[in-house]
Amino acid sequence: MTLLEQLRQARTLSDFAIILGYEPKKLSYLLYILPKEKPLYNQFSIKKRSGGERVISAPCEELKELQKRLLNLLDKCSQEINASKSKNHNSISHGFKKRHSIVTNAVKHKNKQYVFNIDLENFFGTINFQRVCGFFVKSREFQLHSKIAEIIALISCHQGSLPQGAATSPIISNLITHILDVRLVKFSTKIGVFYSRYADDLTFSTNKKNFPIEAALKSIELKHQWIIGKDLNEIINRSGFKVNSSKTRMQYKNSRQEVTGLIVNKKINTKREYKQKVRAMVHALVHRGEFNIFESDSGMYVKGSLNQLRGMLSFIESINPRDGCSKANEKMIGRDIYHKFLFYKYFYFGDKPILICEGKTDGVYIREAIKWFSGRDEFKGLKFDIFKYSKLNGRVLGLNGGYSDLTKFIAQYLTFFNVNTAPSSNMPVIVVIDNDDAAKKILKDERNENRDFYHKVKNLYVVTTPLVGTEVESEIEDLFKIEALRIELNGKTFHKEKDLNDGKHYGKHVFSEKIVKSKEYNIDFSGFEELLKRIQNAIKHFETQTNENRKSSIEPIN
């Protein structure tokens, strides 16, 4: 029986509590006793960018958890419903939904003659307690018992309507507003315009010579002003909503057209002003070590955090060149500003030493080796981060793993480092590579010295894997005991080269995940002791040099 079927068959609070994973007594307490003991919501206001204030109602921890469970239940039920519908059924509304965003909402309206935007007034507040109850009872998809619908409304409503700040408000508003979407799609198709909705933001666009008067028409009293068409306004009112007339606007092809904050004239793009603001923040960060950001709550500029700035950069970077989006973002952010930010974050101002391994699996080996040696006093204070290879870091920093990327990174490191003039965190960056032909090319004549580490420039070091026995080369897998390397998985043996036979062998990724990280095989990491000592010695060398430089800089001049 599916969750939706269980929900339809529920008749009592006990039935509903079991579906949510609560004891009936606990759910009864949360709904009827807790509200008498303390306020369920903390209300506060934040300033809107457009002026005025928005009231936020933040639920207490107990109600917050209950709403999260209800959200999860309704989300799964919605997935069941959408699975039986056409693809277009789920592509009208783009707010608060997985795999939907302001980008998917904007794409439909790019390169159009006219773009018409309207807002629904008091969106959440319009959806009151009775409306929530009525929807879940009358909806063809849900058809719930009136008692269950009432409980859902009790959990999700505050002061008689959906509150801004509750986890359940977005999904319930989308469910209830779907009837409006269906009507507007039918209406838009009839008059020849495109339609989409993001929360309370409705957008209509067309390449027709004249915008259909059924949807919008020029105001007689006010020049350059447009008002909503009679037919469109009637559909919205009949669906239980009202248009915010102060936010109605028509945008022409020969001027800047925006949809949910994105430019849609020819290519999807972020606003130039936004990119310039982010560029200025990164510039301040790498040169002063801090930047300011506008806080809407207080209406003042405050010191920004790295996470905030990364979020802004990620937003710009996400509006990427695919699907007709602008290449200007890639040029301005991906290859320039974002690179400066990530270099500063990882290599210039890290809070711990960071290792850049030659491959993804090397980091797994070293991390597990540290755990194995955790009881040893000599490695007790050895702490470091391991650089994470990801699509973003590969695209922006050019680091995807392997000899070629690391060679280029080391060669360009000083240039990138010197871009920064802010105080650094004085933490070393250690590149860990196999002691093979690639190391010869990276270290050149230095490798013949077979040192613990190689100090390249500034805070950058290179550490090679130690040689094993009488061998003249080594790879990190050579540090494992031979017994670990001979473990069979489903009749397959380990093969560390790329040209493995899938029918006979498993590779490095499987070895790292299924064997190295598994407690089942009790892997012996004693062979990693020398490598960890080399890493530790590189860190100590940098600390010593840093302390000596600090002392010399404060010594009085005779």
Side-chain angles (χ1 to χ4, degrees):
M1 186 184 296
T2 67
L3 270 175
L4 186 56
E5 289 170 341
Q6 291 179 49
L7 198 55
R8 286 171 180 158
Q9 291 188 15
R11 292 291 181 271
T12 64
L13 183 145
S14 295
D15 295 338
F16 192 61
I18 293 169
I19 296 173
L20 286 178
Y22 276 104
E23 289 290 332
K25 286 184 179 179
K26 177 66 179 292
L27 181 57
S28 180
Y29 166 77
L30 292 174
L31 293 178
Y32 305 113
I33 307 299
L34 185 63
K36 299 175 183 178
E37 295 179 349
K38 69 174 186 179
L40 295 183
Y41 289 86
N42 172 36
Q43 285 194 329
F44 56 93
S45 299
I46 60 173
K47 292 183 179 180
K48 295 181 182 179
R49 290 184 180 179
S50 57
E53 292 187 338
R54 176 179 287 111
V55 177
I56 303 297
S57 300
C60 65
E61 287 303 316
E62 297 93 334
L63 181 57
K64 188 177 181 180
E65 173 60 29
L66 176 56
Q67 288 177 343
K68 282 184 179 179
R69 294 195 190 191
L70 176 57
L71 167 63
N72 185 51
L73 172 63
L74 294 178
D75 185 52
K76 289 179 179 178
C77 290
S78 295
Q79 289 178 36
E80 286 182 38
I81 293 166
N82 292 332
S84 63
K85 303 285 185 179
S86 67
K87 187 178 179 181
N88 290 334
H89 170 87
N90 200 32
S91 62
I92 308 167
S93 169
H94 298 262
F96 321 122
K97 293 167 70 173
K98 294 176 182 177
R99 293 180 293 279
H100 291 74
S101 66
I102 60 172
V103 179
T104 60
N105 183 62
V107 164
K108 186 177 287 189
H109 307 288
K110 70 179 181 184
N111 200 24
K112 296 292 190 293
Q113 188 72 29
Y114 297 94
V115 175
F116 182 57
N117 296 113
I118 58 176
D119 272 25
L120 300 179
E121 192 172 85
N122 191 20
F123 183 52
F124 285 154
T126 303
I127 304 173
N128 57 35
F129 187 96
Q130 290 77 16
R131 197 169 176 184
V132 174
C133 287
F135 169 79
F136 284 106
V137 171
K138 297 175 183 177
S139 167
R140 197 167 43 181
E141 284 80 13
F142 282 92
Q143 297 180 345
L144 305 187
H145 189 273
S146 58
K147 178 63 177 178
I148 305 304
E150 182 185 336
I151 293 172
I152 291 175
L154 275 173
I155 296 170
S156 57
C157 290
H158 175 55
Q159 295 180 346
S161 62
L162 295 182
Q164 184 126 2
T168 45
S169 293
I171 191 167
I172 292 176
S173 65
N174 266 343
L175 289 169
I176 291 175
T177 313
H178 182 66
I179 185 62
L180 171 64
D181 292 331
V182 171
R183 289 169 179 170
L184 290 181
V185 166
K186 186 177 180 180
F187 168 75
S188 300
T189 303
K190 181 180 177 182
I191 64 173
V193 300
F194 294 91
Y195 163 72
S196 70
R197 179 177 63 84
Y198 190 95
D200 60 349
D201 191 340
L202 280 58
T203 305
F204 303 84
S205 63
T206 186
N207 276 323
K208 284 189 167 188
K209 185 177 179 180
N210 296 305
F211 198 84
I213 61 172
E214 296 90 340
L217 62 158
K218 284 186 178 181
S219 170
I220 299 174
E221 293 85 6
L222 299 172
K223 194 176 180 182
H224 304 303
Q225 288 284 351
W226 286 67
I227 59 174
I228 188 169
K230 181 182 177 182
D231 292 357
L232 175 56
N233 198 41
E234 283 182 355
I235 293 172
I236 292 172
N237 291 340
R238 184 159 52 91
S239 302
F241 296 97
K242 185 180 178 182
V243 172
N244 183 346
S245 56
S246 65
K247 291 188 176 181
T248 299
R249 57 176 178 159
M250 178 66 78
Q251 302 170 95
Y252 307 100
K253 192 171 186 177
N254 58 2
S255 61
R256 189 164 80 172
Q257 297 172 318
E258 291 180 33
V259 176
T260 45
L262 297 175
I263 309 302
V264 296
N265 288 71
K266 290 185 178 179
K267 307 285 184 180
I268 304 300
N269 208 340
T270 48
K271 295 179 185 178
R272 180 177 294 275
E273 302 93 324
Y274 186 81
K275 289 184 286 189
Q276 289 173 339
K277 179 175 68 175
V278 173
R279 176 183 280 273
M281 289 179 183
V282 173
H283 181 83
L285 178 69
V286 301
H287 290 293
R288 299 202 310 266
E290 61 180 38
F291 65 94
N292 293 326
I293 190 168
F294 184 76
E295 189 180 65
S296 58
D297 290 7
S298 63
M300 299 172 62
Y301 280 92
V302 297
K303 186 177 178 181
S305 69
L306 291 181
N307 284 340
Q308 286 175 314
L309 187 49
R310 180 162 192 169
M312 298 169 81
L313 286 160
S314 295
F315 166 67
I316 297 173
E317 202 272 342
S318 70
I319 315 300
N320 56 45
R322 80 185 193 291
D323 195 26
C325 296
S326 173
K327 291 185 179 180
N329 286 295
E330 185 182 82
K331 182 179 179 182
M332 184 173 185
I333 300 299
R335 297 182 182 179
D336 180 15
I337 299 302
Y338 213 164
H339 185 284
K340 287 180 181 179
F341 172 81
L342 290 180
F343 189 94
Y344 176 93
K345 181 180 185 295
Y346 290 131
F347 312 127
Y348 191 81
F349 203 75
D351 56 1
K352 276 188 278 188
I354 187 167
L355 306 189
I356 307 177
C357 299
E358 194 168 349
K360 293 180 181 179
T361 54
D362 298 8
V364 176
Y365 304 157
I366 293 173
R367 192 177 287 111
E368 294 301 316
I370 279 288
K371 292 179 185 177
W372 194 81
F373 282 104
S374 60
R376 295 273 292 270
D377 289 340
E378 60 187 301
F379 295 131
K380 197 171 184 180
L382 182 57
K383 294 181 180 180
F384 49 75
D385 287 328
I386 296 177
F387 179 77
K388 183 179 179 181
Y389 286 111
S390 66
K391 289 181 180 179
L392 174 67
N393 287 335
R395 191 164 58 247
V396 177
L397 289 171
L399 285 173
N400 296 287
Y403 151 75
S404 178
D405 284 356
L406 291 177
T407 303
K408 189 175 180 181
F409 174 77
I410 292 169
Q412 296 178 333
Y413 191 85
L414 184 60
T415 301
F416 295 141
F417 188 95
N418 286 338
V419 167
N420 301 272
T421 58
S424 70
S425 64
N426 290 319
M427 290 294 173
V429 176
I430 303 170
V431 178
V432 180
I433 58 174
D434 290 336
N435 203 340
D436 54 11
D437 284 340
K440 293 177 186 177
K441 295 174 183 177
I442 292 175
L443 297 170
K444 298 178 181 177
D445 293 338
E446 287 182 287
R447 181 175 175 270
N448 297 328
E449 302 171 22
N450 194 29
R451 300 202 299 264
D452 280 359
F453 57 84
Y454 304 84
H455 185 199
K456 302 302 289 182
V457 292
K458 298 292 184 181
N459 63 338
L460 180 64
Y461 289 75
V462 174
V463 166
T464 59
T465 53
L467 299 176
V468 179
T470 59
E471 298 294 328
V472 295
E473 291 187 354
S474 70
E475 297 179 9
I476 195 166
E477 285 80 14
D478 298 332
L479 306 183
F480 288 102
K481 298 292 184 183
I482 193 67
E483 292 82 7
L485 300 174
R486 287 179 176 173
I487 293 174
E488 289 192 11
L489 285 177
N490 301 321
K492 298 180 182 181
T493 56
F494 175 54
H495 188 70
K496 62 184 178 182
E497 304 302 331
K498 291 182 179 179
D499 60 338
L500 55 83
N501 184 326
D502 288 335
K504 296 181 179 179
H505 307 125
Y506 60 88
K508 292 182 180 181
H509 176 72
V510 174
F511 178 68
S512 67
E513 294 295 319
K514 301 294 185 181
I515 294 178
V516 175
K517 291 172 73 172
S518 172
K519 294 180 181 179
E520 178 184 348
Y521 298 102
N522 195 24
I523 300 299
D524 185 340
F525 288 94
S526 58
F528 281 76
E529 182 175 6
E530 179 60 30
L531 176 60
L532 294 179
K533 284 182 178 179
R534 292 184 173 197
I535 293 169
Q536 188 176 52
N537 289 338
I539 295 172
K540 287 179 178 178
H541 178 268
F542 181 75
E543 290 173 348
T544 301
Q545 276 208 331
T546 301
N547 290 333
E548 289 177 355
N549 292 338
R550 190 178 290 121
K551 286 179 182 178
S552 63
S553 67
I554 60 175
E555 285 180 358
I557 300 175
N558 296 324

